[in-house]
Amino acid sequence: MEQMEDRPAGTGRRRGATLTLSLSMLLASLGTSIANIALPRLAEDFSAPFARVQGVVVAYLAALTVCVVLAGRLGDLYGLKRMQLSGLALFAAASLLSALAPDLTLLMAARAAQGAGAAFLMTISMALMRETAGEAQIGRAMGLLGTVSALGTALGPSLGGALIPLAGWRGIFWVQVPLALAALALAFATLPADGARGARRGANLLAVLERRLLPNLLVNIVVAAVMMTTLVVGPFYLGLALGLTPAWVGLVMSVGPVISILGGVPSGRLVDGWGAARVLSLGLALLAAGAFLLAVLPGFAGVAGYVAAIAVLTPGYQLFQAANNTAALADVAKDRRGLASGLLGLSRNIGLIAGASLMGAVFAAGVGTQDFAHAEAAAITAGMRATFLLAAAMTAAAMALVFAGRFERAPGKA
């Protein structure tokens, strides 16, 4: 019976479901990045300090982090399609309320609701993609979600920058309403109907941590922290140590997202062809090498060295994401996939927070001061070197964890 329920949908229906899930993931990642560029306008329109308007971004991320596991568990209990529709409806309503918000407090509340909706979109989309993809194309499907996520994150600032002069800050929320409604209509039409779900409502979370999942979650935290470190430390190094203008900093920082967009689907194909274990190891090796190169190359070759290191690091990340998500969901029972996807999302968000806070503190310690604007270029370079040497060591430790897990498994189960 389990095998019959796992049988993939027909090709046409599968393509429709893939489009729906891709649009859902795009919306969630777009919501993560599109509001950042509106913060100066919000501070001006509401006469609020920058620290207060930051709540518009923080509220979304906090709700997203808190709700990912809950979203996955609800999907397991009440049906993945039902929860995907609920998430899209919540996201659409919250986008509308954000666009209409009369004050900053209500805007932050609406953004928190939007983040909760995004938690459903990110988590349930991954579980549904695993359920609808053919067994031979799971890696490709996960790679596609990685590509769409990177596209949404990269598109957010540019789309927001184009909309704000035309429609003000409210325009960045208005544009999300029809997109969410379109995704909602597609979800009704294309997603497979929910079958009978497991009745184990009191299942212990630890029951989901099968022999492969826990190492995947721990490594996911490390990798997300390393990638967030590039976003936190990179602008300071490029602007203050290398003296680039903001426009050039933005251009150089866009190299990583562009590589991510281009590399997602090929990474998934490689997973399908080589197997998740090999590609996971390759991805972590490239991540460790890229982090090490970020510590040493820019000091010798400046911007060219920075870009070269990013060109090694980012493909490693895409390979890792496609392989890790595929491996983590491979052995999870059908009625636990939502929860497993939620745990993957939670571990990623924990890593992002750690990268922004803990690795940011390492960078500050390496620079020797919190006043980066008045620090010498050599001090900024020293902070960058120390931070990414630590990142390389963390990634090497993650590789050791993965290899230890593979060694402990029986040969027939590798």
Side-chain angles (χ1 to χ4, degrees):
M1 184 66 177
E2 178 71 20
Q3 289 179 348
M4 290 179 65
E5 289 179 350
D6 258 353
R7 186 176 296 162
T11 302
R13 191 175 185 87
R14 190 187 306 158
R15 287 175 179 170
T18 298
L19 175 62
T20 299
L21 299 175
S22 298
L23 180 55
S24 298
M25 184 65 76
L26 179 71
L27 280 168
S29 56
L30 186 67
T32 302
S33 63
I34 197 171
N36 298 48
I37 199 168
L39 295 183
R41 180 65 68 89
L42 288 169
E44 180 182 344
D45 287 0
F46 290 117
S47 300
F50 183 75
R52 179 161 165 74
V53 298
Q54 275 185 310
V56 173
V57 174
V58 173
Y60 184 97
L61 294 175
L64 175 62
T65 301
V66 168
C67 293
V68 285
V69 175
L70 173 63
R73 189 57 183 149
L74 289 176
D76 290 335
L77 293 176
Y78 301 111
L80 296 177
K81 179 176 182 177
R82 184 179 300 174
M83 289 301 105
Q84 185 78 353
L85 294 173
S86 300
L88 285 166
L90 177 58
F91 191 93
S95 299
L96 178 62
L97 292 175
S98 296
L100 297 173
D103 58 55
L104 199 54
T105 299
L106 291 177
L107 176 58
M108 286 188 286
R111 279 283 286 172
Q114 193 184 36
F120 281 80
L121 303 189
M122 285 189 169
T123 302
I124 305 299
S125 292
M126 187 182 298
L128 276 168
M129 191 69 90
R130 168 65 183 87
E131 193 163 291
T132 58
E135 288 296 325
Q137 297 180 324
I138 294 173
R140 199 172 310 176
M142 294 303 166
L144 176 61
L145 286 184
T147 293
V148 173
S149 179
L151 176 61
T153 302
L155 183 63
S158 57
L159 180 59
L163 288 171
I164 289 173
L166 298 175
W169 62 264
R170 297 182 189 275
I172 68 174
F173 300 113
W174 280 120
V175 75
Q176 297 176 67
V177 176
L179 291 175
L181 292 176
L184 184 61
L186 283 171
F188 270 112
T190 65
L191 294 183
D194 292 319
R197 312 304 296 181
R200 293 174 287 183
R201 299 194 178 192
N204 193 316
L205 285 179
L206 292 178
V208 178
L209 306 177
E210 297 167 354
R211 53 191 169 82
R212 293 187 180 183
L213 188 54
L214 183 56
N216 291 118
L217 298 178
L218 295 175
V219 174
N220 208 29
I221 292 174
V222 172
V223 170
V226 171
M227 295 307 295
M228 176 56 79
T229 303
T230 66
L231 300 179
V232 172
V233 174
F236 287 107
Y237 176 76
L238 294 171
L240 300 178
L242 298 185
L244 300 185
T245 64
W248 274 103
V249 170
L251 183 63
V252 174
M253 291 293 294
S254 70
V255 171
V258 169
I259 294 175
S260 291
I261 292 168
L262 297 176
V265 174
S267 296
R269 290 178 182 272
L270 203 58
V271 172
D272 292 331
W274 283 13
R278 291 181 181 178
V279 177
L280 182 62
S281 300
L282 175 60
L284 286 172
L286 288 175
L287 278 162
F292 178 76
L293 291 176
L294 276 172
V296 298
L297 270 189
F300 296 102
V303 174
Y306 183 92
V307 171
I310 289 293
V312 174
L313 184 86
T314 307
Y317 177 65
Q318 286 298 79
L319 290 168
F320 167 81
Q321 280 286 94
N324 192 57
N325 291 342
T326 300
L329 295 176
D331 295 332
V332 175
K334 184 181 178 67
D335 64 346
R336 301 287 181 85
R337 287 175 187 163
L339 182 54
S341 298
L343 290 171
L344 281 171
L346 177 63
S347 65
R348 177 179 178 272
N349 289 341
I350 290 173
L352 294 177
I353 293 169
S357 55
L358 300 180
M359 298 298 281
V362 171
F363 177 61
V367 174
T369 178
Q370 295 280 351
D371 187 10
F372 296 157
H374 294 93
E376 295 184 357
I380 298 289
T381 301
M384 170 120 167
R385 183 179 300 115
T387 304
F388 282 103
L389 283 175
L390 175 59
M394 290 167 54
T395 310
M399 288 180 64
L401 178 64
V402 169
F403 281 117
R406 290 174 62 185
F407 179 76
E408 290 172 0
R409 290 197 294 272
K413 300 180 180 180

